[in-house]
Amino acid sequence: GAVVSQHPSRVICKSGTSVKIECRSLDFQATTMFWYRQFPKQSLMLMATSNEGSKATYEQGVEKDKFLINHASLTLSTLTVTSAHPEDSSFYICSAKGLAGGSQETQYFGPGTRLLVL
Amino acid sequence: GQNIDQPTEMTATEGAIVQINCTYQTSGFNGLFWYQQHAGEAPTFLSYNVLDGLEEKGRFSSFLSRSKGYSYLLLKELQMKDSASYLCAVRRPDYKLSFGAGTTVTVRA
């Protein structure tokens, strides 16, 4: 149990285009989903927190108009990187928190999406 | 603010034991997690401590002392597949996680 999927796993796009990344909790309902970014050899940095049916809350320094988050259902959250630039190239990871296996204690991570902006 | 420190790298021999320390100074504490992350992959959950003491789960154990702001992850009977980065993460009262920079463990034959 407690499986979180992400799609796509890898994407290459041209500068100025927008990219959408999906995060799904496959076998549990995620009350909250988190989006992280990880640059090479660095730790995960929380970008935003998304609760189903409400607006996402963004961490300090993260542009909400650039990183659009939609949490339309208890099993799906999407992150759209708008007008992507090379400095947005990174590993984007989502995690989901919910009643997985009867525990609300743990965040379960998706496999990540590697974004390369040319 | 959040300050979470762990060593950058550790090397150990197959079959040995390695202890990864994590110290933290955070504004609020609601549990400490350890995750394993292989290169290019997402973190996988290893352990969770919210009360002081030792939690044992197979070859992995995790210890927490809240008064000292200190935790360690103990890996026993090391295997080659244990070569990975180990992340210490503190959960804040708002349930958000703050991660340390990670400790890269290299297991040598």
Side-chain angles (χ1 to χ4, degrees):
Chain A
V3 177
V4 177
S5 71
Q6 268 184 254
H7 177 80
S9 58
R10 187 181 297 265
V11 59
I12 301 173
C13 69
K14 292 182 180 178
S15 185
T17 60
S18 294
V19 174
K20 181 187 282 189
I21 303 169
E22 291 186 349
C23 177
R24 293 181 185 272
S25 56
L26 298 185
D27 52 0
F28 67 103
Q29 293 184 324
T31 53
T32 305
M33 288 184 170
F34 302 89
W35 287 96
Y36 296 84
R37 182 167 51 182
Q38 186 177 34
F39 291 105
K41 299 196 176 181
Q42 294 186 26
S43 194
L44 282 75
M45 295 299 295
L46 179 65
M47 297 175 66
T49 303
S50 136
N51 293 295
E52 186 265 339
S54 62
K55 287 185 179 180
T57 56
Y58 291 81
E59 296 299 298
Q60 194 171 9
V62 178
E63 300 175 57
K64 62 180 181 180
D65 293 331
K66 181 170 182 63
F67 298 99
L68 301 178
I69 291 172
N70 186 339
H71 193 156
S73 76
L74 284 171
T75 59
L76 173 64
S77 176
T78 60
L79 167 69
T80 301
V81 183
T82 62
S83 186
H85 288 97
E87 58 266 29
D88 298 323
S89 298
S90 188
F91 192 44
Y92 291 86
I93 308 174
C94 74
S95 71
K97 180 178 82 72
L99 295 173
S103 169
Q104 230 177 345
E105 300 296 339
T106 305
Q107 286 187 31
Y108 295 92
F109 285 83
T113 296
R114 191 161 299 283
L115 171 64
L116 176 61
V117 185
L118 302 177
Chain B
Q2 318 293 325
N3 191 24
I4 302 169
D5 291 316
Q6 51 181 129
T8 306
E9 295 180 324
M10 301 183 76
T11 302
T13 306
E14 196 173 15
I17 299 173
V18 70
Q19 176 173 316
I20 306 170
N21 296 325
C22 172
T23 57
Y24 63 89
Q25 292 174 310
T26 58
S27 51
F29 177 85
N30 190 17
L32 187 142
F33 292 78
W34 283 95
Y35 286 88
Q36 180 192 62
Q37 185 179 28
H38 285 99
E41 299 179 12
T44 55
F45 169 75
L46 289 179
S47 70
Y48 165 67
N49 295 71
V50 67
L51 299 176
D52 290 350
L54 185 68
E55 293 282 341
E56 297 188 81
K57 189 185 291 187
R59 294 189 299 115
F60 295 171
S61 304
S62 58
F63 171 83
L64 175 67
S65 169
R66 288 171 296 170
S67 62
K68 295 181 179 178
Y70 168 70
S71 173
Y72 68 72
L73 178 70
L74 194 69
L75 287 63
K76 304 175 195 173
E77 300 170 19
L78 279 173
Q79 302 175 10
M80 300 299 287
K81 67 178 181 179
D82 297 330
S83 292
S85 182
Y86 292 84
L87 308 177
C88 172
V90 172
R91 187 170 64 184
R92 293 149 26 180
D94 59 6
Y95 280 85
K96 296 178 182 178
L97 291 177
S98 295
F99 283 84
T103 300
T104 300
V105 172
T106 302
V107 181
R108 300 193 187 281

